Amino acid sequence: MKTAIYPGSFDPVTKGHLDILKAASEIFDRVIIAVAKNPDKHGFLPVDVRVKLIKESIKDMPNVEADSFDGLTINYARQKGASVLIRGLRAVSDFEYEMQLSQANSSLAPEIKTVFLTTKPKYNFISSSTIKEIFLNNGDISKFVPEEVYRYLTNFYKK
Ligand code: ADP
């Protein structure tokens, strides 16, 4: 049984994230999408809301679970019995950071491998920060986020 962790901020989860997750769910037996609690990063949505929105968006993926964690991703992965970390790549600009992160993780935990996936081209440019910016400037984000996220943001955050 191969378990993979897909760690990230997911602030909020997007259709890009879900596309990566769907691919991962077809490759691995069990996938945990896990929101990293980062004390240095002041988020847009609280962590528990991010997890709730993810849970609502993954109902059609039976082997996927949503969770959050503190501390190092590799420690969380070990605790969950996972041997794989999933990360997404959008552009060359992601590559340097993701490469460093995967090498640091691999040096700390050689038994855990990072697997990089890409999205369908139509989701490639989507990032949580772009979505926040469009939303906060009253743009339409319905094409970029799952319906649950769209509904939540529209109901609770519209000025
Ligand atoms: P982090 O703060 O850890 O980068 P994010 O929630 O922004 O968390 O992203 C989590 C992972 O998903 C990262 O590996 C990121 O590169 C990837 N990702 C996000 N959006 C996309 C997308 N549209 N296409 C491919 N990968 C993506």
Side-chain angles (χ1 to χ4, degrees), residues 15-158:
K15 285 191 178 173
H17 293 133
L18 291 183
D19 199 47
I20 297 273
L21 194 59
K22 182 96 182 74
S25 76
E26 288 164 7
I27 301 171
F28 300 102
D29 301 305
R30 177 182 177 225
V31 181
I32 305 172
I33 170 169
V35 178
K37 297 180 192 167
N38 185 345
D40 301 331
K41 225 171 166 179
H42 185 69
F44 173 53
L45 299 175
V47 168
D48 59 330
V49 171
R50 292 184 227 167
V51 173
K52 176 180 102 81
L53 292 173
I54 293 170
K55 282 189 176 154
E56 290 171 6
S57 310
I58 58 171
K59 287 192 180 127
D60 60 335
M61 297 186 231
N63 60 339
V64 176
E65 298 158 36
D67 194 9
S68 60
F69 69 99
D70 283 306
L72 291 180
T73 309
I74 47 146
N75 289 341
Y76 175 72
R78 281 174 171 156
Q79 188 194 318
K80 290 286 171 185
S83 53
V84 174
L85 299 179
I86 306 288
R87 295 290 288 177
L89 286 177
R90 279 162 291 202
V92 178
S93 52
D94 280 340
F95 184 79
E96 201 167 307
Y97 171 70
E98 293 292 345
M99 191 73 181
Q100 278 180 1
L101 194 63
S102 75
Q103 286 172 347
N105 282 331
S106 148
S107 151
L108 293 169
E111 80 282 14
I112 298 174
K113 312 293 179 205
T114 300
V115 170
F116 294 106
L117 294 171
T118 55
T119 57
K120 293 190 189 77
K122 66 176 175 176
Y123 298 133
N124 195 57
F125 69 94
I126 301 175
S127 71
S128 298
S129 53
T130 307
I131 278 160
K132 273 175 264 181
E133 201 163 322
I134 296 172
F135 176 73
L136 293 172
N137 288 291
N138 301 312
D140 180 10
I141 57 164
S142 58
K143 276 195 290 203
F144 312 136
V145 294
E147 210 182 306
E148 294 78 6
V149 172
Y150 180 72
R151 230 182 296 128
Y152 179 86
L153 290 179
T154 312
N155 287 343
F156 291 90
Y157 279 81
K158 204 104 197 186

